[in-house]
Structure formats: C-alpha cells, structure tokens
C-alpha cells in the first residue's frame, strides 16, 4: 500500500485550483514544524512567483527591518514559517493582484497550522489573513492594528509593509514608535527559548 507523501510535498504538488491560476501552480510557502514565529500573509505576487521566494523585495526588506530579523533568520524555516492565505500567485485584476484563491486555506491551512506545534507568535498581514486569524470584523486596518494589545502576545495585526502603505505609516506614527519595539522584543524573547 502506498504511503501518503509528507504534507509539504502534497502542498507542493497541489493542483486544486490550477484552472483558475494564470500560471501553473507554484506554491510559495516556508514551513518547518520547529518554527515558533508565523507570518500569515495574503498571496504571493508575480515577483515571488517567478523567484519562488516570498518577501524577496522592498516590502520584505521593510518587514525584516520591522521584525529585527536578518535575511538568514527570516528565511530559516525552523525560525519563521510563512503561510499566505493562498500559496500560488492568483493573477492580477483591474486594481492590482487578485485575492488569494479561496480553495487554498480550506484545503491546507488547518493541517499546516496544526503542524506548528512550537508556534508562539503569529504576525498577521492583510485582510484575508486578518479575517481568518482574528475572525471577521468590521474594523478598519487602522482600528485593528491599533487594538493590537487585545491579541498580545500570541498574535499581532500588521499593515502590509509595501511602499503603497507609506502614507498609512506617516499618518500612524504610533505604529513604528509603540508597536514595533514591542514586536522586536517579543521576537527576541521567542527566539531565546
Ligand atoms: S493556490 Fe493553493 S489550492 Fe490552489 S493550486 Fe496553489 S496550493 Fe493548490
């Protein structure tokens, strides 16, 4: 009798929504059962799809700076798991990248999260991930991020680190002044265990 391949190989071979994707499926995720930190994001963009590497751009540079992690630390799957809501690039619509494919999270997310037995901190980026990890809410991004103490110390809502959010960052200086130092301390604490 054939044994099932390991979970991560099953994900990498996934074709569930292939008919709806602009390119053949290329799931972009980082996973190891030892990871204590999870970045829960939206879906890879075209650059991540091409490179096969998540957050390998200016948004990723800003995210690493926010978290106080080097590239080596960020891309060490035993330190950081990266699980977007949709693992494959969903394509682009009239107003930017399309939402994560809705088939993905029901197919894989629960099982992968169950496999993160050491998880201590989840950083949640983008409204689809925020709806999944915080439950559906009417709160705006600003309201949700401002209520970060409500979820502390297990989960933290973050804005997307894209340069498109520069204005948001300028309008909400408390984010970099108050929240980010706490996040960096928390990450250092989690990593020191
Ligand atoms: S987006 Fe998710 S469900 Fe769709 S093919 Fe990729 S891994 Fe499979």
């Amino acid at each position: 009798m054939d044994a099932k391949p390991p979970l991560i190989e099953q994900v990498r071979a996934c074709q569930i929504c292939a008919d709806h994707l602009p390119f053949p499926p290329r799931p972009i995720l980082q996973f190891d059962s030892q990871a204590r930190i999870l970045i829960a994001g939206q879906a890879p963009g075209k650059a991540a799809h091409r490179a096969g590497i998540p957050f390998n751009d200016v948004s990723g540079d800003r995210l690493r700076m926010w978290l106080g992690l080097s590239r080596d630390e960020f891309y060490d799957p035993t330190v950081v798991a990266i699980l977007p809501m949709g693992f494959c690039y969903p394509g682009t619509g009239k107003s930017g990248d399309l939402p994560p494919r809705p088939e993905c999270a029901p197919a894989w997310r629960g099982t992968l999260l169950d496999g993160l037995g050491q998880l201590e901190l989840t950083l949640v980026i983008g409204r689809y991930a925020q709806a999944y990890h915080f439950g559906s809410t009417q709160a705006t991004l600003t309201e949700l991020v401002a209520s970060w103490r409500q979820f502390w110390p297990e989960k933290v809502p973050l804005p997307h680190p894209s340069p498109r959010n520069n204005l948001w960052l300028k309008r909400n200086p408390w984010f970099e002044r108050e929240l980010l130092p706490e996040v960096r301390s928390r990450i250092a604490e989690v990593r020191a265990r």
Side-chain angles (χ1 to χ4, degrees):
M1 196 170 69
D2 288 345
K4 262 190 168 181
L7 179 61
I8 198 72
E9 285 178 32
Q10 294 176 46
V11 175
R12 294 205 187 281
C14 179
Q15 298 283 320
I16 289 173
C17 66
D19 290 349
H20 302 283
L21 299 174
F23 304 118
R26 188 178 196 190
I28 310 290
L29 65 157
Q30 178 167 299
F31 179 86
D32 185 284
S33 60
Q34 299 300 307
R36 293 173 192 268
I37 300 164
L38 167 64
I39 295 173
Q42 295 274 94
K46 202 185 275 184
H49 171 83
R50 285 200 184 112
I53 305 171
F55 292 107
N56 186 33
D57 56 10
V58 290
S59 297
D61 291 340
R62 177 180 266 166
L63 181 58
R64 285 180 280 278
M65 187 264 289
W66 283 355
L67 307 183
L69 292 172
S70 68
R71 277 184 72 90
D72 284 351
E73 291 164 336
F74 185 86
Y75 288 119
D76 181 345
T78 67
V79 175
V80 177
I82 301 174
L83 299 178
M85 293 301 294
F87 296 144
C88 299
Y89 169 58
T92 304
K94 282 182 189 152
S95 53
D97 283 357
L98 293 172
R101 284 303 311 175
E103 301 87 346
C104 202
W108 299 114
R109 197 160 192 82
T111 315
L112 286 164
L113 291 176
D114 286 348
L116 292 174
Q118 313 287 320
L119 186 61
E120 294 194 40
L121 175 63
T122 302
L123 304 156
V124 188
I125 299 172
R127 70 187 172 98
Y128 293 93
Q130 285 161 352
Y132 185 96
H133 288 273
F134 299 122
S136 52
T137 166
Q138 298 301 310
T140 64
L141 173 70
T142 306
E143 290 166 344
L144 185 65
V145 179
S147 68
W148 60 275
R149 289 181 182 83
Q150 195 181 323
F151 313 108
W152 192 263
E154 286 87 17
K155 296 179 187 176
V156 182
L158 294 176
H160 196 281
S162 162
R164 274 179 295 175
N165 273 337
N166 283 353
L167 187 59
W168 188 93
L169 293 169
K170 201 170 171 189
R171 284 182 178 154
N172 296 280
W174 53 267
F175 170 74
E176 293 184 285
R177 189 180 60 232
E178 294 170 26
L179 175 49
L180 288 187
E182 296 289 341
V183 169
R184 286 188 203 109
S185 299
R186 176 83 178 113
I187 285 176
E189 176 189 276
V190 166
R191 296 208 56 220
R193 288 194 217 285

